[in-house]
Amino acid sequence: MIYEALNLKVCVSIKDFNFAFQVGKRLEDSYEGTSEVKVAKLYIFKDKYAKFKMLEDESVSEMFHRLNVIVNEIRNLGHKVDDEDFSHWFLRRLPPRFDTLVTIIVRANLKGVTPTQVLGDVVTQGT
């Protein structure tokens, strides 16, 4: 069944393995990359996260979703980014016209609030 789900190149690379853990390791390396590749990807996405800012022609929702893609990539590479950190980072990257709203949201406490809820607050109260 595993062989049927894979493309031919990958099947050829695992056809001689006798143990499931060997197949699993090869598939992980093929589809996710080696540990060195994962470290390099994590470095790249952390850099994108650190340098993230809202683009000039971008809506708040578009900005949020672009940041969410970066955070999901970081999480998929095994690095922890909790919702509160995500929300703080999102709020700190909004343009100055949102400063008062950001202050109000942060003072209300972000514990237990999802980033999507924060986005909703910004979109509904910030327009």
Side-chain angles (χ1 to χ4, degrees), residues 11 23 27 33 52 61 70 76 82 99 106 111 116 122:
C11 283
V23 172
L27 293 175
F52 187 85
S61 294
I70 294 169
N76 289 338
D82 63 32
D99 284 351
V106 170
K111 284 258 187 249
T116 305
V122 171

Side-chain angles (χ1 to χ4, degrees), residues 49-50 52-54 63 67 84-96 98-99 102-103 106 110 118 122:
Y49 183 75
F52 187 85
K53 65 180 182 177
M54 187 173 189
M63 172 201 169
L67 180 60
E84 189 175 351
D85 289 339
F86 178 104
S87 295
H88 276 282
W89 200 253
F90 165 66
L91 291 170
R92 288 196 320 244
R93 297 305 186 227
L94 289 169
F98 290 94
D99 284 351
V102 168
T103 301
V106 170
L110 293 174
V118 173
V122 171

Side-chain angles (χ1 to χ4, degrees), residues 30-47:
S30 296
Y31 287 100
E32 294 181 16
T34 63
S35 59
E36 292 83 9
V37 171
K38 288 179 186 177
V39 168
K41 285 180 178 179
L42 182 59
Y43 176 82
I44 290 166
F45 283 107
K46 281 182 160 182
D47 187 56

